Amino acid sequence: MSIRAARVSPRPAATGAAATSGVGFSTLGLRGAVGFELGGLDARWTGMLGWRHAYGDVTPATAMSFAGSNVFTVAGLPIARDAAAIEAGFDLALTRNATFGVSYTGQFAKRANDNGVKADFSWKF
């Protein structure tokens, strides 16, 4: 039986050049809110319907290489250039300084969808 020690290279197995990619968004649409009283507490429905457009590098990519190999490109999932944007929410003022809210947000494009639900509690002091 023989045991051999492997040499470990101080260099990482994969390397990549520092890169920056940027994308900007603009949204055109309508936003509204309706306040009302619910069981003696102030409440509010909110909503937004719009068109969201992405500017810039919508496909993130970077050049990488393994030690001693050729350079190759690693690309992320592309961001939709145009999408419908929808938001809906409900806020309830529990006290003068405390509010509970729940909201939905979604983006719908030809080849991708993004959905999210959020609940929050805020307390002003």
Side-chain angles (χ1 to χ4, degrees):
M1 177 173 171
S2 69
I3 299 174
R4 292 191 294 179
R7 281 182 32 155
V8 177
S9 172
R11 293 180 24 193
T15 59
T20 303
S21 63
V23 64
F25 296 95
S26 64
T27 304
L28 176 66
L30 300 171
R31 182 178 302 272
V34 175
F36 60 97
E37 191 172 302
L38 179 66
L41 301 174
D42 289 334
R44 181 175 62 158
W45 287 107
T46 60
M48 188 275 294
L49 178 62
W51 165 66
R52 186 161 292 150
H53 183 75
Y55 302 91
D57 189 9
V58 295
T59 304
T62 188
M64 302 287 292
S65 69
F66 290 110
S69 74
N70 294 328
V71 174
F72 58 93
T73 301
V74 176
L77 292 174
I79 298 167
R81 195 156 298 273
D82 294 296
I86 299 171
E87 294 178 6
F90 174 75
D91 294 321
L92 184 62
L94 303 173
T95 67
R96 184 175 173 192
N97 295 328
T99 304
F100 171 76
V102 63
S103 63
Y104 164 80
T105 182
Q107 291 187 64
F108 302 93
K110 197 179 263 188
R111 295 186 177 138
N113 295 329
D114 180 29
N115 296 283
V117 175
K118 178 178 82 168
D120 61 66
F121 175 78
S122 69
W123 178 29
K124 300 175 189 174
F125 56 92

